[in-house]
Amino acid sequence: MTELPAYEFFGASGGLVTTPKDLNAFWDSLFGGKLLPRWALRQMTQDATDVGGRDVYPKGSRYGYGVASIPLSCGGTYRGHGGGLPGVSVGGGRATDGRGTVTVYTTTVAAQGARLAHLQGAVDAA
C-alpha cells in the first residue's frame, strides 16, 4: 500500500495556515457583514438545523452552511466552527451579541471525548 502525503489524506482540512489573531479577524469580518451579503449570512445562521447532542455538538446546538451556533453557559450563544487533525485541534467563533471573538488551539491528539469537552469548555470560558 502506498502512503498518501498528508495533504492528500486530510484534504482541505489541513489547508489553512493561520494565527488565532487572523482567525478572529475572519470571524469578526464574517459575522460583522463584511464578507457576505446579508441573505447568505442569514442562511448560515438562522436557517440552521438542530444538531444538539449529535456528533461533536452540545445540546442546543444548531448548524447551517458551515457555521455552528453553540449555546454558552452564560446563556448566550457563539457561532463558529472547530476542526482538527492529528496533533492539533481548534475551536472558535464569535458571540452572537458581538461582545467577543475567540479562537482556542490545542496541540495534542485530535480532540475527542473528554478532550473535545475540554476544548469546548475553554471556548465557552473565553
Side-chain angles (χ1 to χ4, degrees), residues 5-125:
Y7 65 87
E8 289 183 22
F9 183 73
F10 295 112
S13 63
L16 177 67
V17 177
T18 189
T19 65
K21 181 179 177 181
D22 286 345
L23 196 49
N24 287 347
F26 166 76
W27 292 124
D28 285 339
S29 295
L30 176 65
F31 297 122
K34 296 176 184 171
L35 298 181
L36 298 174
R38 282 187 215 143
W39 67 264
L41 190 56
R42 186 172 45 254
Q43 283 191 312
M44 294 177 78
T45 57
Q46 294 175 5
D47 297 343
T49 302
D50 181 7
V51 292
R54 286 193 256 161
D55 196 24
V56 298
Y57 301 103
K59 283 188 171 186
S61 298
R62 299 181 63 75
Y63 190 88
Y65 297 103
V67 174
S69 296
I70 298 175
L72 298 170
S73 60
C74 66
T77 303
Y78 86 94
R79 293 183 178 133
H81 200 287
L85 295 169
V88 65
S89 294
V90 61
R94 183 178 189 206
T96 55
D97 63 8
R99 289 189 297 162
T101 304
V102 62
T103 296
V104 176
Y105 280 86
T106 62
T107 52
T108 61
V109 296
Q112 297 174 347
R115 288 185 180 108
L116 177 60
H118 186 74
L119 176 64
Q120 289 172 334
V123 171
D124 182 75

